[in-house]
Amino acid sequence: MASGGAMVQDLLLDALEDLGQEEFEKLKFKLRTTAVPGGKNIPLGRLEKAKREELVELMVEFYEDKAVALIVTIFEDIGLKYNASKLSEVFGKQVQGYKRKYAETVMENYQLIEDRNSLLGESSPLNERFIELLIIRDHRPQKQKEHELAATGRRHLEILEENASVYSSTATENLFEPDKSGVTPRTVVLQGPAGIGKSMTVQKIMLDWAAGELYQGLFDYVFCIRCRELSLTEEAKSLADLIIEQCQDMYAPMKEILAFPEKLLFIIDGFDELPFSLQPEDDHCCASPSSKMSMQGILSNLLRKTLLPKSYLLITTRPGAAERLQGYVKFPRFAEILGFSEKGRREYFSKFFKDEGKANLALRFIENTTAVSTICFIPMVCCIICSVIKVELETEDEIADTLDTTTKVFVQFSLSLLKHDSQKRKKSLLDEFRNLCSLARAGILEQKILFEEDDLKEHNLAVSDLKDLFLDRRTFHRGIGRHSLYCFLHLCFQEFCAAMFYILPGEKTRAPDDNEMDLKKLLDVCEKPGNEHLTLTVRFLFGLSSEKVQAFLEEAMQCKMSDLAKPLLLQRAEEVAAEDPPRKGYRLLNFFHCLFERQEAELARRVVHRFQTINISFKTLSVLDCRVLAFCLQHSTIQDHAIDLTFCRLKTHHMKALAPGIQNCAILEFGSNRLGNSGVNVLCTILKELDCNVNTLNLGENFLTDACAQELCATLSTSKTLVSLNLSDNSFTEATVPFIVHLLKTCTGLSILYLNDNGFGDKGRKRLKQHVKKIESERPFWLWL
């Protein structure tokens, strides 16, 4: 198929060759008198001498994109209605044919994506990865935003989905639908923070349009301008040149494409990433798509609608840059990407891994880590986690040490954002990141999550590019006016940055003693009642001070990290370990989390032996909590810990997580949980493999039945240390009695047995009592039946 002017010339020549000589002369006569709007007629002398080929060239030269329509009109005027209909039909097919050709180009360019750590040639189909995001079309009030920032875990997901239902949830196919008053917006601003999925959404829009699944009948052509790929030094060009580049075809039928501007959609992706400022309104106004100008000029005129005023715009941007658009766009529709819903997150992991087992393993990892789970509404976080886990699962069955702590996940995400600007601004990057962390620290100490412009000025962030990269800017109503506030992507990310303040090398203008005093004060204050808001920051501090994390940060940021925190954290850990009485419950668990984030066995060895009794009873534990306990117990220097996890809602997967630490426990209080038969079988495997020295085991009220009795009794029968066993409040029947009798015969150290509230029946209880009588003649024995 011919393209552009060549296509029009071929169509016109075919149409003229169908004419007889008399009809051809009538056509030339009509051309003398027919007025062309906005143009001029072919000079009479050139028209009279022109043969068919020459006349075609003259028509294209003088009438350009109007040539075909003009000939159709003349054909109808001189009675050649069949010829007019044929030319219109052929021309229409040719134009539609080019639309298909352009759509094929778009399909080729947008159908694949690369993971963040893909090797050369590795890619995945976008349609196999893309998940619909939550998008709303209304601004939320300040109080609602504060609730969202402070919520964690499942409650945070619930708030996002509540927002989607309350604040006019929409989908990409409805972005340009008429509002309640029937007005269709010509400009839509789609905003969201870094990593929330704006560019991926744009890629999906382009692909779906090209596949005929989106905006059909609404837009004939959709063009995407990626702001990050533009250059400040680009030579002058026209909008037509830009469209030719998009089509990747120098013969693209530009006149036909521009003939119906109301059928064009221009997507400006990443407005916040423009490498230049737009030109003022009173400069370089231009209405011609063929006029040469700077890239600033093209974008400025497109936004202000002085260029193709009837065309449509979709602009994506971070909230921090959204206000810069206000001087250009008129009456835009606002839309905001909130991120993944819980269902969307699960679907993303499933699509990423394809293997259900690996997807579930990765999901369990994040869902049992509250802070990580909270920021997984951000697609970029999910991508980072999945990419790293995928590599590790290629060689291991479990997640190794790349993302084994909350700290490491946040480090990976932060460095991914910083990498965005690292090449452009190496010198100031560290200083600006330190300023950002200083703002976070001040906010955490003051319990402040929304920041004014003055706060940013105080921390030298007013003109920082990192402000738009890491902070989410929001405009709220204040009385009859408006005011802008800034916040981190989430409170837990602010807590991470606050901890980073003490790890980054200090400012030259700030005395080292000041930083040391600040950190000592933080560590003291965090232990006082009412200061639970400092818990995660201190936990991050322990994680960031580990040798592995610091080495990783130093390599990534090309600077030496501060060694201020490590000795102070060690001193703090030893102070906590020396407390009398020892702490218990969540306070103890939080301290163990700090040791776990550090991931240094030597620190655990120095302090965990002080907690011979670990009581976290009547607290709901996550799998991560159990991994934390296991890590600390595993590296203890004593082997007679007593752990009380009564009524902690433990299940099978909790028991698996506890496994490495059980070998150093003598007393296991697991009563009133939900272990079930599978959980007990896991425990039996652990006890056999680790050659444990357990003397007290409580499995009362754990939904146990006869199905696990033989395995449990056989495992315990070989124990040389077991003294007390509690199996009360379960569902054992008479069928279990022979296994218990065997246990009593072989485990000679067992002297206390709780079997009450089971279903042994009269016969079973009688047999048990008879056997206990025989034992009592040899050694003291207490039976509760």
Side-chain angles (χ1 to χ4, degrees):
M1 182 189 74
S3 298
M7 179 187 78
V8 173
Q9 284 184 327
D10 289 346
L11 286 172
L12 292 175
L13 187 57
D14 288 343
L16 296 190
E17 286 180 345
D18 286 342
L19 303 181
Q21 188 60 35
E22 182 179 348
E23 293 166 334
F24 180 60
E25 293 300 329
K26 284 182 180 181
L27 172 68
K28 287 203 292 184
F29 177 78
K30 273 287 186 182
L31 283 171
R32 296 178 191 174
T33 57
T34 301
V36 181
K40 57 183 179 179
N41 288 0
I42 300 171
L44 187 59
R46 297 179 69 181
L47 183 60
E48 287 182 343
K49 297 177 182 179
K51 296 180 180 179
R52 298 180 193 236
E53 294 85 351
E54 295 168 336
L55 182 59
V56 168
E57 292 177 357
L58 287 171
M59 285 191 291
V60 171
E61 178 185 348
F62 279 83
Y63 306 134
E64 297 178 337
D65 57 318
K66 303 175 183 67
V68 174
L70 179 62
I71 294 302
V72 169
T73 301
I74 292 176
F75 278 175
E76 291 175 342
D77 287 347
I78 62 178
L80 299 176
K81 296 193 179 297
Y82 171 76
N83 299 66
S85 175
K86 180 181 176 183
L87 178 57
S88 294
E89 182 182 354
V90 172
F91 180 66
K93 287 182 178 179
Q94 292 280 35
V95 172
Q96 289 299 325
Y98 192 80
K99 291 177 187 174
R100 288 194 294 273
K101 179 181 178 182
Y102 172 65
E104 290 171 1
T105 300
V106 172
M107 288 281 287
E108 185 176 341
N109 291 338
Y110 288 89
Q111 63 184 336
L112 298 176
I113 59 170
E114 293 181 348
D115 295 329
R116 300 189 69 81
N117 60 345
S118 295
L119 299 176
L120 182 64
E122 289 184 337
S123 59
S124 301
L126 174 63
N127 281 332
E128 292 183 6
R129 285 287 183 83
F130 184 81
I131 304 298
E132 290 290 339
L133 299 168
L134 295 174
I135 300 176
I136 61 172
R137 278 177 18 195
D138 287 323
H139 293 275
R140 287 165 290 162
Q142 180 174 331
K143 189 60 67 176
Q144 178 65 39
K145 184 62 181 175
E146 289 176 347
H147 288 162
E148 179 188 320
L149 289 171
T152 58
R154 178 164 294 280
R155 180 55 189 152
H156 184 261
L157 282 170
E158 290 172 354
I159 287 179
L160 289 182
E161 296 186 12
E162 287 169 6
N163 286 339
S165 62
V166 173
Y167 297 103
S168 301
S169 177
T170 190
T172 51
E173 60 262 32
N174 300 324
L175 288 175
F176 291 94
E177 69 177 4
D179 59 22
K180 294 177 181 178
S181 60
V183 176
T184 300
R186 289 197 179 271
T187 300
V188 173
V189 177
L190 181 61
Q191 69 177 42
I196 203 69
K198 299 183 296 295
S199 292
M200 184 73 81
T201 298
V202 165
Q203 186 171 345
K204 179 63 171 171
I205 288 173
M206 293 294 293
L207 185 64
D208 285 352
W209 171 82
E213 298 172 0
L214 185 66
Y215 300 146
Q216 294 307 295
L218 186 58
F219 303 124
D220 286 345
Y221 291 90
V222 181
F223 302 109
C224 179
I225 301 171
R226 295 191 182 277
C227 294
R228 74 176 62 173
E229 297 173 0
L230 302 180
S231 170
L232 181 61
T233 58
E234 283 193 51
E235 61 183 21
K237 63 177 66 173
S238 66
L239 178 61
D241 294 332
L242 197 61
I243 291 174
I244 287 172
E245 290 177 3
Q246 294 273 315
C247 293
Q248 300 178 16
D249 181 1
M250 64 182 298
Y251 298 110
M254 196 52 49
K255 305 299 182 183
E256 290 77 10
I257 291 174
L258 295 173
F260 301 98
E262 68 276 9
K263 290 287 190 178
L264 302 181
L265 171 63
F266 292 92
I267 300 178
I268 300 175
D269 182 33
F271 174 79
D272 53 280
E273 297 181 289
L274 279 176
F276 46 72
S277 298
L278 295 184
Q279 296 171 346
E281 187 172 348
D282 58 354
D283 191 19
H284 294 283
C285 285
C286 176
S288 173
S290 59
S291 295
K292 300 283 186 180
M293 66 188 90
S294 66
M295 199 65 229
Q296 296 104 306
I298 293 175
L299 288 179
S300 178
N301 283 286
L302 264 179
L303 293 174
R304 297 203 309 263
K305 294 294 185 180
T306 52
L307 191 58
L308 300 183
K310 292 186 178 181
S311 65
Y312 288 79
L313 293 175
L314 173 61
I315 306 163
T316 72
T317 182
R318 294 183 192 130
E323 285 197 1
R324 280 189 278 156
L325 281 167
Q326 289 189 335
Y328 295 92
V329 298
K330 294 180 180 179
F331 308 115
R333 169 172 286 170
F334 165 86
E336 179 187 1
I337 299 179
L338 300 184
F340 283 142
S341 64
E342 181 177 17
K343 178 182 176 184
R345 186 172 73 181
R346 287 180 170 276
E347 191 177 346
Y348 180 88
F349 276 70
S350 178
K351 283 190 172 185
F352 190 100
F353 287 101
K354 297 180 182 177
D355 179 279
E356 184 178 354
K358 292 180 178 179
N360 288 335
L361 179 65
L363 275 167
R364 282 199 301 273
F365 167 73
I366 66 162
E367 289 173 353
N368 287 291
T369 312
T370 302
V372 174
S373 174
T374 300
I375 64 169
C376 274
F377 73 96
I378 303 172
M380 184 197 288
V381 175
C382 291
C383 180
I384 292 169
I385 289 173
C386 288
S387 297
V388 174
I389 290 177
K390 179 183 178 183
V391 172
E392 298 207 355
L393 292 182
E394 288 174 355
T395 55
E396 303 287 343
D397 293 329
E398 293 290 339
I399 299 168
D401 64 353
T402 308
L403 292 178
D404 58 349
T405 67
T406 304
T407 303
K408 291 178 183 177
V409 174
F410 277 74
V411 165
Q412 291 275 5
F413 179 54
S414 301
L415 292 179
S416 294
L417 291 184
L418 283 173
K419 186 178 179 182
H420 184 278
D421 277 13
S422 61
Q423 296 302 316
K424 294 187 292 182
R425 303 158 50 260
K426 285 184 178 178
K427 290 184 179 179
S428 63
L429 183 63
L430 179 60
D431 290 338
E432 292 193 18
F433 189 47
R434 185 191 296 110
N435 292 339
L436 183 84
C437 294
S438 176
L439 175 72
R441 166 190 159 275
I444 291 300
L445 294 176
E446 298 168 19
Q447 297 191 58
K448 188 175 184 178
I449 59 178
L450 292 175
F451 301 94
E452 305 273 357
E453 293 278 359
D454 289 344
D455 295 317
L456 270 62
K457 291 177 183 177
E458 182 182 344
H459 294 272
N460 299 314
L461 287 168
V463 294
S464 169
D465 288 339
L466 289 192
K467 172 184 64 178
D468 286 346
L469 194 63
F470 283 85
L471 298 180
D472 194 359
R473 182 178 183 178
R474 299 284 162 171
T475 301
F476 301 103
H477 288 295
R478 176 176 284 174
I480 60 172
R482 300 179 307 177
H483 73 300
S484 292
L485 296 174
Y486 294 83
C487 61
F488 286 82
L489 299 176
H490 190 272
L491 175 58
C492 57
F493 191 65
Q494 180 182 342
E495 292 166 317
F496 169 79
C497 288
M500 278 293 301
F501 174 80
Y502 299 101
I503 301 301
L504 293 171
E507 299 173 271
K508 295 179 181 178
T509 58
R510 184 177 171 89
D513 288 346
D514 292 341
N515 286 340
E516 184 175 350
M517 289 298 294
D518 278 352
L519 183 52
K520 284 182 177 179
K521 182 179 179 181
L522 172 67
L523 295 175
D524 289 337
V525 169
C526 75
E527 295 293 340
K528 295 178 181 178
N531 289 327
E532 291 78 10
H533 62 283
L534 301 174
T535 296
L536 191 55
T537 298
V538 173
R539 195 179 294 179
F540 279 132
L541 263 171
F542 273 87
L544 288 168
S545 66
S546 80
E547 291 183 5
K548 285 187 178 180
V549 172
Q550 289 214 331
F552 182 71
L553 284 169
E554 288 174 358
E555 181 180 356
M557 302 188 72
Q558 294 295 294
C559 66
K560 183 80 169 66
M561 294 294 113
S562 170
D563 56 3
L564 167 69
K566 186 169 287 190
L568 293 178
L569 293 174
L570 174 59
Q571 178 184 340
R572 187 62 193 156
E574 291 180 332
E575 289 172 353
V576 171
E579 290 176 349
D580 189 21
R583 58 180 61 187
K584 60 182 181 179
Y586 280 143
R587 290 188 71 229
L588 175 58
L589 185 60
N590 178 58
F591 175 63
F592 283 173
H593 267 281
C594 291
L595 302 180
F596 177 79
E597 289 295 319
R598 185 72 166 263
Q599 284 292 299
E600 290 179 1
E602 179 56 33
L603 178 59
R605 279 193 285 269
R606 293 180 68 160
V607 296
V608 176
H609 66 279
R610 304 279 188 90
F611 301 94
Q612 184 171 10
T613 298
I614 296 172
N615 184 353
I616 312 180
S617 59
F618 295 91
K619 310 295 182 187
T620 299
L621 299 186
S622 69
V623 171
L624 177 62
D625 293 331
C626 293
R627 288 178 60 214
V628 167
L629 283 171
F631 172 84
C632 294
L633 288 166
Q634 181 183 13
H635 296 103
S636 176
T637 56
I638 64 174
Q639 295 182 317
D640 59 347
H641 284 281
I643 59 171
D644 188 349
L645 303 183
T646 302
F647 205 84
C648 289
R649 299 182 183 273
L650 303 182
K651 296 183 180 179
T652 304
H653 44 280
H654 295 86
M655 196 57 57
K656 290 179 180 178
L658 281 168
I662 287 178
Q663 62 181 338
N664 284 338
C665 294
I667 299 176
L668 299 175
E669 293 286 349
F670 292 149
S672 301
N673 281 293
R674 303 175 180 178
L675 294 180
N677 296 332
S678 59
V680 166
N681 288 334
V682 169
L683 176 62
C684 290
T685 301
I686 296 169
L687 294 175
K688 285 187 288 189
E689 289 179 353
L690 299 179
D691 190 24
C692 297
N693 60 339
V694 175
N695 63 56
T696 301
L697 176 60
N698 183 353
L699 294 174
E701 198 178 4
N702 261 289
F703 302 92
L704 308 183
T705 71
D706 298 330
C708 72
Q710 182 173 7
E711 175 71 8
L712 175 62
C713 293
T715 300
L716 297 178
S717 66
T718 61
S719 173
K720 298 180 175 132
T721 58
L722 186 65
V723 174
S724 175
L725 175 64
N726 189 339
L727 298 178
S728 62
D729 290 291
N730 283 297
S731 299
F732 295 119
T733 70
E734 186 182 346
T736 292
V737 171
F739 306 124
I740 297 176
V741 169
H742 174 73
L743 171 65
L744 294 172
K745 289 179 179 178
T746 54
C747 185
T748 56
L750 183 62
S751 58
I752 303 173
L753 181 60
Y754 299 86
L755 295 175
N756 47 299
D757 296 313
N758 277 285
F760 296 120
D762 293 339
K763 187 177 179 181
R765 283 197 295 272
K766 182 178 180 181
R767 183 178 177 186
L768 287 168
K769 289 178 180 178
Q770 288 175 343
H771 192 77
V772 168
K773 278 188 177 181
K774 295 179 182 178
I775 297 175
E776 286 176 334
S777 63
E778 301 172 1
R779 67 180 191 271
F781 196 94
W782 289 267
L783 172 67
W784 277 261
L785 187 60

